[in-house]
Amino acid sequence: QVQLVESGGGLVQPGGSLKLSCAASAFTFTTYIMSWYRQAPGKERELVASALSVADTVNYADSVRGRFTISIDNNENTVSLQMNSLKPEDTGVYFCKAVAWHQHKEYAYWGQGTQVTVSS
């Protein structure tokens, strides 16, 4: 059974950095999209960044472009999110999501989330 486990969240001051990681177990797909979403209190979950496994294709929300970097390690089945120049509005629970395809079926998996708090 596929499981996604996030790590690396915590409390950081404005302007600081954090690196989130998401490890996928029992994940044997070769073509997939790994994404990071976040959800702030009282707000809807939003896409932060995504990356395609088979091409150098990444996508960022306008609010994080230039500050966050997503990267996939296909050998380790992990996806990381390097977050720099953090702002209080980056606070929220960050979720890892994997969407994969096999024999014309789509599979989607979510992690349990990790809290990121940006505050002085």
Side-chain angles (χ1 to χ4, degrees):
Q1 183 176 355
V2 173
Q3 284 190 319
L4 303 181
V5 179
E6 301 99 333
S7 61
L11 173 64
V12 64
Q13 292 187 343
S17 298
L18 277 177
K19 185 175 183 177
L20 306 182
S21 294
C22 173
S25 60
F27 196 78
T28 59
F29 300 99
T30 56
T31 302
Y32 52 89
I33 295 175
M34 298 293 283
S35 304
W36 286 96
Y37 286 74
R38 68 185 179 193
Q39 187 166 20
K43 294 189 176 181
E44 293 186 356
R45 193 172 296 188
E46 63 173 350
L47 176 66
V48 174
S50 61
L52 179 62
S53 63
V54 295
D56 189 20
T57 302
V58 296
N59 181 54
Y60 296 98
D62 289 342
S63 59
V64 307
R65 188 174 291 112
R67 300 188 296 121
F68 290 11
T69 302
I70 186 172
S71 60
I72 291 178
D73 184 332
N74 289 315
N75 293 327
E76 298 293 329
N77 281 341
T78 60
V79 59
S80 62
L81 185 68
Q82 177 66 47
M83 304 185 295
N84 300 327
S85 302
L86 283 161
K87 305 175 181 179
E89 51 263 43
D90 294 319
T91 294
V93 179
Y94 283 68
F95 298 89
C96 174
K97 180 183 181 183
V99 177
W101 296 269
H102 179 66
Q103 295 184 343
H104 307 292
K105 282 191 68 176
E106 180 178 292
Y107 300 85
Y109 306 95
W110 286 93
Q112 82 289 350
T114 185
Q115 176 70 45
V116 171
T117 302
V118 184
S119 175
S120 56

